[in-house]
Amino acid sequence: MTIDRPFRLFILGAGFSKPAGLPLGCDLSREIIQRIRSEFDGDTIINRDLDRFCGYKGGTKDTPIPDDLLDFEEFMAFLDVEHFLWFHGK
C-alpha cells in the first residue's frame, strides 16, 4: 500500500484558545474559586483543601495564598497526593 499524500499532525497547546478570548487554566481556576467562595460562603471542601494547601506551602489559614498567585496545577497535584494516594503531612 502506498500513501500518495503525507499526513500532518498538529498538536495545539492549552494556550491556543487565548486569542479567541477563552480563559486559560489559571484564569478559569481563579474564576471557579471566586465563584465557590461567593456562592457557598464559609466552610466548603474546597476552602478546607485550600487552607491545607496554604499551610503546606508555608502560609497560614489567616494569610491565605492570593487567588492571583495560586498555582492551580500545583494545587491539583496536592489534592492527588492528599485524596488519591492518602499521603498526609509535610
Side-chain angles (χ1 to χ4, degrees):
M1 176 167 142
T2 62
I3 300 174
D4 53 354
R5 286 186 277 160
F7 290 94
R8 292 187 183 150
L9 175 65
F10 295 97
I11 300 174
L12 305 175
F16 183 75
S17 56
K18 183 156 178 79
L22 297 172
L24 296 177
C26 59
D27 302 323
L28 189 58
S29 64
R30 262 184 249 126
E31 186 175 326
I32 290 168
I33 290 170
Q34 289 171 354
R35 189 172 235 169
I36 288 171
R37 287 180 177 162
S38 69
E39 290 198 26
F40 304 100
D41 189 38
D43 190 32
T44 64
I45 292 171
I46 191 83
N47 284 331
R48 289 192 301 267
D49 286 335
L50 282 167
D51 288 343
R52 279 201 329 276
F53 179 67
C54 185
Y56 166 76
K57 292 296 289 179
T60 64
K61 185 176 180 179
D62 296 329
T63 57
I65 300 169
D67 292 339
D68 59 337
L69 296 179
L70 176 66
D71 182 338
F72 201 69
E73 289 182 23
E74 190 176 14
F75 175 56
M76 295 305 291
F78 171 81
L79 292 179
D80 278 345
V81 169
E82 289 272 307
H83 293 286
F84 183 71
L85 298 174
W86 294 352
F87 293 153
H88 299 281
K90 297 196 180 238

